[in-house]
Amino acid sequence: MTRVFNFSPGPATLPEAVLRQAAEEMLDWHGSGMSVMEMSHRGKEFISIHAEAEALVRELLGVPSNYKVLFMQGGAIGENAIVPMNLIGKTGKADYVVTGDWSKKSAKEAKSYGKVNAAASGEASHFTAIPKQSEWKLDPEASYVHICSNETIGGVQYHWTPDTGAVPLVADMSSDIMSRPIDVSRYGLIYAGAQKNMGPSGLTLVVVRDDLIGHALPICPSAFNYQTQAEADSMYNTPPTYAIYIAGLVFKYIKAQGGLKAMEAHNQAKAAILYDYLDESRFYRSPVAREARSLMNVPFKLKDDALDEAFLKGAQAKGMIQLKGHRSVGGMRASIYNAMPVEGVKALVAYMKEFEAQHG
Ligand SMILES: *Cc1c(COP(=O)(O)O)cnc(C)c1O
């Protein structure tokens, strides 16, 4: 068996120890005689898996007791509609800060449910920087302010938490959840698809403050109503049981590594290896402003994009895959989530040096 270094933006690489444990437990989970996939979501076995996964989310993220942790479906793109359906009814309007493709999509989707104010946009910098909060035009009557904490495509990440006063801050954290400690109490709602840093696709994590629950628009489907799901412990409909199980194993793995502080140190060390080389090289460059560089998704360009194909082919031959940048940005992108070992980043930089020596 050979495992590649998978730099995919998502679904993404998972800790090998987690995959091994899942393989071991595939046919018979803890003497139950069943795979987790085959269990009733209402049976005691799965209920214990679900409860443990939720407890670990609370512990790792430090979720205060006045917040619900929901396991939903529909992904972050689903939440682009689910969030306004549940939250925008308060005043009929919301502020969106647009810092790249994902937050742009969020703002566009919300327009079907209320008035969307573009409070700030990084468009002038071609989404290579995050507009300073002093430049934001926030509406004090907004039902919430929406941000994307890490733009997976452009590789820009907030390294500060916006202050939105009494207006709840809502964050799409799909691609940096569990990568560093956060202060949940600064947010009204956090959502994230699982497939970047938590597990398989199909599971969406929602952490929502109690007072924001119970105000859904009448058109909101019951399976997407935070109140229905909170009251049913995320079991109003059949939850994505296997994805919750794998995410639970990933959470246990993160805890065993030392929790989110340890993840942050690991992620900072990995990203530094790559950014330091990009900065010293005259062959490669990072298009992103230093203070906004993502620790999770690192886009970079070669001196001549005619060499892109050769670069990707050479990387593939060395077992490094999924380095092609998103078509809207071009060039390369290395996604280096929690589960990417430091060896993967070192191997990438060694290859980049070799390629530069051949083509520079
Ligand atoms: C991947 C991603 C999405 C899309 O997630 P889906 O699961 O496809 O809905 C949305 N926002 C961000 C920040 C992402 O990284």
Side-chain angles (χ1 to χ4, degrees):
M1 184 202 69
T2 329
R3 300 253 312 152
V4 293
F5 287 124
N6 179 4
F7 294 93
S8 167
T13 190
L14 287 170
E16 192 173 314
V18 165
L19 299 175
R20 286 187 185 282
Q21 186 174 347
E24 234 163 72
E25 298 177 343
M26 176 60 77
L27 297 182
D28 179 6
W29 182 84
H30 295 203
S32 66
M34 294 178 275
S35 168
V36 175
M37 252 181 270
E38 304 170 300
M39 288 175 184
S40 162
H41 60 297
R42 311 232 178 253
K44 65 175 191 323
E45 294 90 352
F46 183 74
I47 299 231
S48 74
I49 290 170
H50 189 272
E52 188 174 18
E54 180 186 331
L56 283 163
V57 169
R58 288 191 172 275
E59 183 183 340
L60 290 169
L61 290 176
V63 179
S65 58
N66 61 322
Y67 286 69
K68 294 285 184 290
V69 170
L70 306 176
F71 293 134
M72 297 182 64
Q73 294 176 75
I77 293 180
E79 289 299 321
N80 284 345
I82 295 167
V83 166
M85 278 195 285
N86 279 274
L87 264 48
I88 210 167
K90 200 168 169 209
T91 61
K93 46 188 186 171
D95 283 345
Y96 277 73
V97 177
V98 177
T99 49
D101 292 55
W102 287 118
S103 48
K104 201 174 184 176
K105 220 173 194 148
S106 301
K108 189 171 173 219
E109 183 86 13
K111 285 179 186 159
S112 301
Y113 307 99
K115 194 172 167 297
V116 168
N117 170 41
S121 169
E123 190 133 37
S125 74
H126 301 283
F127 298 119
T128 59
I130 290 178
K132 288 194 205 59
Q133 189 169 343
S134 56
E135 294 159 13
W136 296 13
K137 294 193 173 59
L138 296 175
D139 176 355
E141 282 175 15
S143 298
Y144 59 89
V145 179
H146 180 285
I147 63 165
C148 175
S149 58
N150 182 64
E151 289 282 358
T152 321
I153 292 172
V156 303
Q157 183 177 31
Y158 284 78
H159 295 292
W160 48 282
T161 310
D163 180 359
T164 53
V167 178
L169 179 62
V170 171
D172 175 358
M173 290 196 187
S174 294
S175 51
D176 67 353
I177 188 99
M178 301 278 175
S179 69
R180 56 182 178 178
I182 51 167
D183 179 355
V184 174
S185 73
R186 302 280 302 273
Y187 300 85
L189 186 149
I190 291 164
Y191 65 92
Q195 71 271 22
K196 281 56 184 269
N197 233 354
M198 295 189 286
S201 57
L203 167 65
T204 321
L205 174 70
V206 176
V207 178
V208 54
R209 209 171 62 208
D210 288 340
D211 61 290
L212 300 177
I213 298 176
H215 311 288
L217 299 176
I219 55 156
C220 183
S222 42
F224 296 148
N225 187 317
Y226 296 139
Q227 184 171 24
T228 329
Q229 289 293 7
E231 284 170 3
D233 231 344
S234 304
M235 300 238 197
Y236 174 75
N237 56 335
T238 311
T241 52
Y242 198 76
I244 291 170
Y245 157 70
I246 298 286
L249 296 183
V250 171
F251 300 151
K252 258 189 245 180
Y253 166 87
I254 293 173
K255 185 178 168 181
Q257 302 290 307
L260 299 191
K261 273 215 171 84
M263 282 299 123
E264 182 178 46
H266 163 69
N267 290 325
Q268 281 171 342
K270 279 185 300 179
I273 293 171
L274 192 44
Y275 284 119
D276 285 352
Y277 177 58
L278 290 172
D279 287 343
E280 84 183 40
S281 161
R282 294 171 63 189
F283 185 78
Y284 304 97
R285 68 185 177 83
S286 157
V288 179
R290 263 167 210 273
E291 65 283 2
R293 286 177 174 178
S294 170
L295 301 186
M296 298 281 96
N297 310 95
V298 184
F300 61 92
K301 303 248 175 159
L302 275 59
K303 198 167 78 179
D304 177 359
D305 58 17
L307 291 169
D308 285 1
E309 279 312 310
F311 180 89
L312 290 165
K313 229 174 130 189
Q316 175 111 29
K318 289 185 178 300
M320 290 178 277
I321 68 159
Q322 293 283 351
L323 283 160
K324 194 179 168 78
H326 189 272
R327 60 190 178 279
S328 70
V329 177
M332 305 298 147
R333 169 178 47 171
S335 295
I336 51 174
Y337 300 117
N338 288 351
M340 173 57 67
V342 69
E343 292 75 26
V345 178
K346 285 184 177 161
L348 173 61
V349 169
Y351 167 65
M352 288 167 73
K353 285 182 180 165
E354 191 186 308
F355 191 87
E356 176 174 1
Q358 279 166 11
H359 300 273

